[in-house]
Structure formats: C-alpha cells, structure tokens
Amino acid sequence: RLFGEILPGVRTASVGIWVKAGSATERDEENGLSHFLEHLFFKGTATRDYKQIAAEFDNLGIQSNAYTSKEMTCYYVKAIDSKLDEAVDILTDMFCHSVFPEKEIEKERGVILEEIAMSQDTPDDLLMDKLSEAFYTGTELSRSILGPADNIRKFRREQILNYRKTHYFGKNIVIAAVGNFDFDKLAATLEEKMSEVVPGEAETQFPVLDGWQPAPQEFCIRRDIEQAHLGLAFPGPGLMNRDRFAFSILANILGGGMSSRLFQKVREELGAAYSVYAYPSIYFEAGSLIIHAGTSLEKVDAVQEAIFKELRMLRTEGVRPEELEHAKTQLSASYIMGQESTSAKMNLLGRNALLLGRIYPEEEILEGIAGVRMEDMRQVVQRALREDAMAKGLVLPQE
C-alpha cells in the first residue's frame, strides 16, 4: 500500500518503507531480531556492497536511516526532488535484494552488543528501558527493542532470514511518501521495484490486551554515576482511543515545557533538577504517561515529594481552564511546526497508515486537540494518575 502527500512548494521528498515488525511481534527467544535485521539491510545487496550503499547516499546528498520500535520498523530516505529516483532505487534495492553476508552478520553482532552496552551505560536510557519493561509486565510491550545481549550472541543467519520471511510481506508493509514528487511516477517505480515482495496471507495482528491492568512496580539500579534518575509511568490510552488527545494535553501540562507544573515546581522553585519533563508514550492498544527527573542523590526525596504533590493536586483539584487552553495552543503549534518537515510528516503518515490503515488529515488532528473539554481532562486525570497502577524506577549512584 502506498500513501502519499504532495507538497509542490518544497524542494525535498521523504519516502519510508514501514513494516509491522518490532519487539512486540517477537517471541521471547526472538527478542532483538527486528532491530538486528534492520541493521543488516545496510550491509550489501546483490549489486552493491555496504561501502557502495554508503557512498551513493553521501555522494547524492541523500539522508538515509532506519529505526525499530516496539510495533514497527521503518527504512527511509530524504532527498532533494531531483535525486528522488536515485534515492528510491537504493532504498528498494536494500529492501528487496539484501544478501545478509555471514561476515557482515558477525560484524553487526558486535556493533549491536556495543549499542546495548552504551544503553546500559546511559542512565536515562537504562531507566526508560527498564521502566517500560516493568510497566508493561505480562504483555508483549514489555520487551526491549535492542533485546538481551544473550539473544544477540545466539542469533544465526537462518533464524534472521526466517524472521524476515515471517514478517516482511506485502500485507505487513506500507510505503509513505511526502514532498515534491510525481505520485503516479513513484507508484509505477515502486510497482516494478517491489514486485518481488510476496503479498502474504494476513496482516500481523498485535495481541489483544483486554483484561490487562498495570500493577504497581518498583525497581532500583545502582551505577557508577554522579546524578540520580527518577522515572514514573502511569496508564494511558492506545492509538484508537480518542482520549489520546486529552492524555497528550495532560502530559504537556505536567511537564511539556518551561511553564509546565513540574518544570516550574522542581526546577524553577526548588532548583532541584536541571532536567524534568513528562511525555505520552502511545502504542496501538495501550499507552503510558512518562515522567523523568535527574537530580543529585541528596535531593531525590525532595524531588519525588514535589512531583507526587503536583500529581495529587491534579487529582483533587483538576486542571485549571487557562492551563487547558494554553496546552491546546502549545500542542497545536508544535504539531503544525512539525508538519513543515517532509520527514516528520512522512513519519506521522507512515505510522498511522501502518497501524491504523488510514491517514489522519491535519484538520482532524487539530480538531481533536481543540475539542478536548474540562470534563475530558477530569476523566483522563482520574484514569491516568493512579499510584496503584504506577511503575517507579530509580537509577542511583553507587554510594
């Protein structure tokens, strides 16, 4: 399926191939395969080795990359309009004709193990990974994207190719294109170049989470670091739930900017942290409100106390009308500004097309934000800010 939006007033175009394969589609023994496979698509095709792929992208001024999440993998290019044909040629060659040499698999295994080690050595990355694992305990969403190092050491070429065959088929793939391009020409090119992709029988379905309820979770990790890191996760709606607009507004009010409650209380009034923020993390069937703060070990208790005081105040007193209006303006402006970039626009389009099977017009998103009422906020505050469904994590200095 091809989804596109033509923007004649720009000089670039972004094209992404989206696959419904991520850590949530893996089995425990496969955890990390989606991400491993993503790396290997850059390691050579039948006609280009990895050096040629990198050189062609650079020499043509093409930006190219890929990423894996819990629910999808995306391979994309961004090029000036006159170089889009070349960009799509390389991208589709990688996607359809990668040969996965044994030698490159072994080299990339080492690269990914180093990536895992880097994540383990980065306290906020480590905290967010473990917080997600704890919050979504008992569901497929609890699996990390990188996977455990023991799995990475065990994966073999045949297993990697079987995983690709299982998930990389036509019904599991969408292509999103945004920018200055000829839609019919791109469609004809992709029809030809993607012809070897088998249609497949049925699109992958994420496991239904009906009946799952987050339970209180808590953990503490010690590392040789200077600063303490606190993370909290609270329950939220999935992508199909209209409450996602009110939920995003709640995250913004709590920690979305310099005027947010947590920034003003923890940083400006107490001077207890340089970084404190909140954001919504929303998947197909479930979501979470994430709060993070970095502070000194001596101030951890004071920061926790200040955060929970704000959360409890929101539960008892609710959102103020002026807060709601300011957050709506901020979110709408942020969304509109993001749509100025063809790559950002392509990312939103591709994600919605893959997971929801449709494109959400800009007007529909803005109307969703504008339509949130005080009663909607009252309900989402009560459903989300529940300490009996909260995951809490700390990464602390060794002493």
Side-chain angles (χ1 to χ4, degrees):
R1 293 164 288 170
L2 172 62
F3 294 80
E5 184 172 347
I6 299 168
L7 304 174
V10 302
R11 288 295 311 277
T12 66
S14 296
V15 177
I17 302 176
W18 297 72
V19 187
K20 194 181 279 190
S23 56
T25 66
E26 300 165 346
R27 300 190 298 270
D28 288 343
E29 64 273 18
E30 296 175 328
N31 189 201
L33 261 179
S34 299
H35 176 254
F36 202 142
L37 184 58
E38 171 227 306
H39 276 236
L40 294 176
F41 274 96
F42 289 82
K43 295 304 170 183
T45 71
T47 56
R48 295 176 170 98
D49 63 23
Y50 70 93
K51 291 181 181 178
Q52 288 174 289
I53 290 172
E56 286 189 46
F57 278 138
D58 286 348
N59 294 341
L60 293 165
I62 298 166
Q63 297 176 10
S64 175
N65 213 329
Y67 63 86
T68 306
S69 72
K70 290 182 183 289
E71 296 180 323
M72 67 195 83
T73 307
C74 175
Y75 305 85
Y76 66 91
V77 290
K78 181 177 182 180
I80 60 173
D81 46 16
S82 61
K83 301 296 181 185
L84 184 62
D85 289 348
E86 292 91 332
V88 170
D89 180 66
I90 305 169
L91 179 65
T92 53
D93 186 32
M94 289 165 47
F95 192 81
C96 298
H97 304 121
S98 283
V99 291
F100 309 106
E102 195 76 59
K103 179 181 177 182
E104 297 304 321
I105 291 175
E106 291 309 312
K107 286 197 294 186
E108 211 57 30
R109 191 191 312 277
V111 170
I112 294 169
L113 289 171
E114 291 300 327
E115 187 177 358
I116 292 171
M118 181 177 71
S119 177
Q120 292 284 315
D121 283 348
T122 308
D124 46 347
D125 285 355
L126 174 64
L127 174 62
M128 291 300 110
D129 202 32
K130 295 301 181 184
L131 189 65
S132 178
E133 181 182 327
F135 181 77
Y136 290 110
T137 295
T139 77
E140 285 70 13
L141 291 171
S142 68
R143 297 193 194 99
S144 73
I145 294 166
L146 298 181
D150 284 348
N151 276 10
I152 305 303
R153 295 187 184 100
K154 293 175 186 175
F155 291 149
R156 294 295 173 259
R157 184 172 186 272
E158 182 180 4
Q159 188 179 5
I160 293 167
L161 294 179
N162 284 338
Y163 186 81
R164 181 196 183 198
K165 183 179 180 181
T166 301
H167 295 280
Y168 280 59
F169 55 86
K171 287 187 171 62
N172 242 17
I173 297 169
V174 301
I175 300 175
V178 173
N180 191 9
F181 66 97
D182 183 316
F183 189 92
D184 292 337
K185 180 182 177 184
L186 179 61
T189 299
L190 291 169
E191 188 72 41
E192 175 191 348
K193 294 186 178 293
M194 300 285 285
S195 60
E196 295 180 22
V197 177
V198 297
E201 294 183 3
E203 184 179 349
T204 296
Q205 300 299 316
F206 295 118
V208 176
L209 300 184
D210 283 350
W212 171 76
Q213 290 292 330
Q217 305 282 344
E218 191 167 337
F219 64 88
C220 180
I221 301 170
R222 299 279 180 171
R223 284 290 187 271
D224 185 14
I225 53 178
E226 294 295 320
Q227 199 177 40
H229 293 263
L230 165 68
L232 303 172
F234 294 92
L239 274 177
M240 299 290 285
N241 194 323
R242 189 171 174 80
D243 280 350
R244 69 188 186 280
F245 295 112
F247 187 67
S248 296
I249 288 172
L250 173 60
N252 185 271
I253 289 170
L254 266 172
M258 290 190 296
S259 64
S260 66
R261 289 191 177 208
L262 296 182
F263 192 96
Q264 285 294 312
K265 175 61 69 175
V266 176
R267 175 168 164 161
E268 299 298 284
E269 290 184 29
L270 299 179
Y274 175 76
S275 173
V276 57
Y277 56 86
Y279 65 91
S281 176
I282 302 177
Y283 300 107
F284 183 71
E285 287 221 348
S288 54
L289 170 65
I290 306 297
I291 297 173
H292 172 267
T295 187
S296 64
L297 187 60
E298 296 76 20
K299 294 178 180 176
V300 167
D301 289 341
V303 169
Q304 286 189 80
E305 184 180 342
I307 290 173
F308 280 105
K309 184 177 179 180
E310 289 299 321
L311 297 177
R312 289 163 186 159
M313 194 182 304
L314 261 175
R315 280 185 60 85
T316 56
E317 299 178 8
V319 170
R320 296 186 293 271
E322 65 272 17
E323 281 183 309
L324 175 57
E325 293 309 311
H326 293 162
K328 285 181 180 181
T329 300
Q330 190 175 346
L331 278 180
S332 297
S334 178
Y335 171 74
I336 292 168
M337 290 176 187
Q339 297 305 289
E340 298 286 319
S341 160
T342 60
S343 53
K345 204 172 181 72
M346 182 275 294
N347 267 283
L348 185 61
L349 189 154
R351 180 173 182 246
N352 286 339
L354 183 70
L355 297 182
L356 305 177
R358 59 165 292 201
I359 298 173
Y360 281 84
E362 186 173 300
E363 298 75 21
E364 188 172 340
I365 300 292
L366 295 174
E367 286 171 6
I369 296 170
V372 175
R373 305 162 302 162
M374 289 293 291
E375 176 60 20
D376 300 322
M377 294 305 302
R378 187 194 68 78
Q379 292 182 17
V380 83
V381 164
Q382 297 303 318
R383 283 198 288 263
L385 301 183
R386 294 170 43 209
E387 293 177 39
D388 64 339
M390 174 191 74
K392 170 186 166 185
L394 287 161
V395 179
L396 300 178
Q398 292 284 10
E399 66 266 23

